[in-house]
Amino acid sequence: MYVFNPGAIRYNGEYLLIVDAATAATPIVFWIARSRDGIHFTPDPKPISGWPAPESGAENCIYDPRITFIDGEYILMYASQAPGRGVRTGVVRTRDFRVFERIEQAETGRNNRNSVLFPEKINGRYVRFDRPMGDDECEPCDMCISYSDDLRNWNDTKVLMTPRPGCWDSHKIGGGAVPIRTPEGWLVIYHGVDLTCNGFIYRLGVMLLDLEDPSRIIARGGLPVLWPDQPYEMLGRVMNVTFGCNALLEDDGTVRIYYGAADTCIGLATAKLDDLVAACRVGNPTAERFFSGK
């Protein structure tokens, strides 16, 4: 079995991952793994049972969950795929990670994925990232921001950010982790895709958004903060992938990112919150050394 692209949260004294789990015989399903120390995880005996199906019919694949704690409950946004419908954002809520309730989404008639819910309302409304797209997921895609009063109907969608020609995020971009509130703005960890002669490369980057108007970018880092350079990140079911669906801030200012590597396994990367904020504004010494060859 392959596990990758986990959503992560601290719950009831544990670190909890909801992972994409794939075998040769089944489509991707969600599976929970639990840990006391955030390093050694024990998977549940079985995948999540009782996952609520949408009114439109059964999902044939679910993947890439993001978990947001807001208003006393946990909201999961994920990619929901169904025959004849394409891929949409699926939304469920839970209080205990045992019973899940679906929040039906208004149909837009357009594919959408990489939705990430902010951890608090802004100006009285829910806010999330979206990545609407056409029928071909390989085409370039922008990263958008949308608003809602009820977690069901999303509107006032704006293009937040577009790919940068000639850069590491030149082809597709999309939401990654739940944003982290800092005094300087919302710290956002997003994924960027570069199309090379040998295929796609998935990396993670950072930006800062205005606390009161998250559709306004304050700063966007020039270089990635995480990229494939280890064998397990470069070789697997999908080559050259580091893909994040979470970022957990610890009390000492460390940010933990459990990331999918090559759609095959999970790695853990850590960084200081201050360094990630600085990477948005003033530079990224680790990436500068790596990509300059010095």
Side-chain angles (χ1 to χ4, degrees):
M1 180 171 66
Y2 304 102
V3 294
F4 50 98
N5 299 1
I9 200 78
R10 282 188 298 272
Y11 168 74
N12 198 25
E14 293 183 309
Y15 292 85
L16 185 150
L17 302 182
I18 297 184
V19 307
D20 292 358
T23 71
T26 62
I28 296 170
V29 296
F30 287 152
W31 208 302
I32 294 179
R34 307 170 193 270
S35 172
R36 288 290 180 181
D37 63 6
I39 303 294
H40 304 91
F41 283 85
T42 301
D44 286 357
K46 297 180 180 180
I48 292 175
S49 62
W51 189 258
E55 292 178 354
S56 57
E59 298 161 309
N60 63 356
C61 194
I62 55 178
Y63 52 99
D64 298 354
R66 279 82 174 190
I67 309 169
T68 301
F69 181 71
I70 186 171
D71 295 340
E73 60 185 2
Y74 299 89
I75 304 296
L76 281 70
M77 292 192 171
Y78 66 98
S80 169
Q81 194 168 303
R85 177 174 59 79
V87 62
R88 302 288 192 270
T89 293
V91 183
V92 301
R93 58 169 34 115
T94 184
R95 292 183 179 272
D96 57 9
F97 292 95
R98 299 184 185 280
V99 177
F100 297 86
E101 176 190 358
R102 178 165 296 277
I103 303 174
E104 288 291 342
Q105 301 297 288
E107 178 57 51
T108 64
R110 189 175 184 187
N111 288 331
N112 188 26
R113 53 178 296 198
N114 295 315
S115 294
V116 184
L117 182 66
F118 278 62
E120 61 185 71
K121 292 179 180 179
I122 300 175
N123 298 320
R125 306 183 77 190
Y126 297 101
V127 185
R128 78 178 186 188
F129 298 132
D130 285 315
R131 196 183 76 184
M133 56 192 181
D135 294 333
D136 185 354
E137 290 199 35
C138 293
E139 291 298 315
C141 294
D142 300 329
M143 183 173 170
C144 296
I145 192 166
S146 301
Y147 301 84
S148 176
D149 296 316
D150 58 6
L151 290 174
R152 300 175 185 273
N153 300 277
W154 295 88
N155 45 55
D156 297 328
T157 300
K158 302 177 182 178
V159 173
L160 174 66
M161 185 168 63
T162 60
R164 294 182 287 195
C167 294
W168 63 271
D169 50 1
S170 63
H171 191 71
K172 297 189 291 184
I173 51 178
V178 174
I180 298 173
R181 173 184 271 274
T182 78
E184 300 212 33
W186 291 107
L187 174 67
V188 175
I189 300 173
Y190 71 97
H191 73 267
V193 183
D194 187 18
L195 177 58
T196 75
C197 60
N198 293 316
F200 292 130
I201 302 176
Y202 282 75
R203 304 177 176 101
L204 298 183
V206 290
M207 64 176 167
L208 284 172
L209 303 180
D210 186 87
L211 291 174
E212 300 302 322
D213 179 10
S215 69
R216 186 174 77 85
I217 298 175
I218 297 172
R220 180 177 177 182
L223 290 172
V225 296
L226 186 66
W227 57 89
D229 71 336
Q230 298 299 312
Y232 61 88
E233 299 163 342
M234 300 167 70
L235 300 173
R237 296 173 67 244
V238 182
M239 308 298 184
N240 298 315
V241 173
T242 50
F243 190 88
C245 295
N246 63 85
L248 302 183
L249 178 61
E250 304 286 359
D251 292 340
D252 66 356
T254 298
V255 178
R256 294 183 182 226
I257 302 172
Y258 298 91
Y259 67 95
D263 275 16
T264 303
C265 59
I266 293 170
L268 170 60
T270 62
K272 288 298 184 181
L273 179 64
D274 290 346
D275 290 339
L276 293 174
V277 171
C280 300
R281 288 185 177 275
V282 299
N284 182 344
T286 301
E288 289 161 9
R289 287 193 299 269
F290 180 88
F291 288 104
S292 68
K294 297 179 181 179

